[in-house]
Each structure stands twice: as C-alpha cells, then as structure tokens.
Amino acid sequence: FAHLLPTSLKPAIEFYDEARLCTAASVQDNLLFGRIASDQAGAESAVHGVIRRVLTERGLDGDVTRIGLQTPVDPRGGDLTLSDIAAVDLVRCLVRRPDVIVVERALEGLPGPSADALVARLRRALVGRGLVIVSPSLSADMDQPPFDALIRFERGTPQVEERRIRRAEPAVA
C-alpha cells in the first residue's frame, strides 16, 4: 500500500517505521510500533508490564511517566499555543539549513519588538540564503537593511517593489 500510494497523498498518511517516530501516534504506540490487540484476553496488562520493565531497565521510566504513554508525539496536539506551534515549525525548518525559508505564521501573536527581534535574528542567521517573510505589515525595524524586494497584495494583485541596492559596475578600460 505504501509503495503504491500516489505522491500527492504521501504527506496525509504516516506509516510506522522503526527508525522514526510516528507523530500521528502516542508514545506507547511508538514504543510498540503499533497498537495492542484488543481481541486477545490479558494482552493490555501483559504489554504494559513489558513496557514498564524495558523502560525501567533503560532508565527511561521517569521521563515516560512524566510525559505519559498516551501523550501524542506530535507537538501540534495538546496544550501548545499557535505561537508555540509556529516556533516549533520554524525550528524544524532552520535545523535543515535550507537555501530558502518562508516564514509565514511565526510572527503572528508576537508583540512588535519581539517580531522585529525575531526577523533581525533570522536575517543574521540566513545571510547568503533566501528569506521570505509573509506578514500583514512590515515595520521599519524589520526592514533594516531594506529587503531586496517587497511584494504587497492589493485586491488580490501583487505589487512588486524591487529594492535591490545597485552596485556600481567596474570601470572597463
């Protein structure tokens, strides 16, 4: 099924892979690489006993108890705010060191000075790479030094403002 799945549907379905965490599953389901068979008598208590023993042997019982076996692995679940989720997404992108990064929702909910500081840090971290900021407004502090281009949408039509600093051409003798 996984091999025949169309490329367009691959992001919608996450398969168990022993080398990766499955973000669609709980901590327990990730430990088991699947779910406990509910049709077998005593399976749940037997499996929980084995899980507890293995976690204790590995010194992980305290962490897993604190987190909880039923906790989803995906940080989008539970008690994270939209700003927290945007921060997690931004960090996931930055860790991959992309040539171009698009920052869309990371500025939402941040007070002006915090948004300005985040953009300044991103610009310093991404020197020599592409940075696209999607925001309803651009403060003067965010635009220092000026971005190469600014695109505003007016009634659905993009208005492009080229702002590249033109360097003098070398003299030809």
Side-chain angles (χ1 to χ4, degrees), residues 95-115:
V95 165
R96 293 182 178 118
R97 300 192 51 76
D99 292 332
V100 176
I101 188 167
V102 178
V103 178
E104 185 178 1
R105 292 195 172 95
L107 303 179
E108 289 179 14
L110 290 177
S114 296

Side-chain angles (χ1 to χ4, degrees), residues 8-153:
S8 63
L9 294 178
K10 287 188 180 186
I13 298 174
E14 189 170 7
F15 295 96
Y16 282 104
D17 177 353
E18 65 185 45
R20 297 181 47 227
L21 285 174
C22 178
T23 60
S26 68
V27 172
Q28 175 178 291
D29 293 345
N30 271 280
L31 290 172
L32 299 174
F33 305 114
R35 300 188 189 276
I36 298 172
S38 59
D39 61 339
Q40 296 182 12
E44 188 168 352
S45 62
V47 169
H48 283 163
V50 171
I51 289 173
R52 279 191 298 277
R53 183 173 46 85
V54 170
L55 291 174
T56 302
E57 288 172 1
R58 305 266 187 216
L60 298 171
D61 53 332
D63 290 331
V64 173
T65 300
R66 181 179 49 80
I67 296 168
L69 286 174
Q70 298 305 320
T71 301
V73 173
D74 189 357
R76 294 181 189 279
D79 57 352
L80 295 181
T81 65
L82 292 176
S83 296
D84 293 337
I85 293 168
V88 169
D89 287 344
L90 181 58
V91 169
R92 284 179 170 167
C93 289
L94 289 170
V95 165
R96 293 182 178 118
R97 300 192 51 76
D99 292 332
V100 176
I101 188 167
V102 178
V103 178
E104 185 178 1
R105 292 195 172 95
L107 303 179
E108 289 179 14
L110 290 177
S114 296
D116 294 344
L118 175 60
V119 171
R121 285 192 308 272
L122 286 170
R123 292 183 81 176
R124 280 193 304 271
L126 297 167
V127 168
R129 294 186 274 161
L131 173 63
V132 177
I133 302 285
V134 179
S135 178
S137 63
L138 182 69
S139 74
D141 287 339
M142 283 182 201
D143 199 29
Q144 291 304 318
F147 280 99
D148 292 342
L150 183 64
I151 303 171
R152 296 183 201 274
F153 283 84

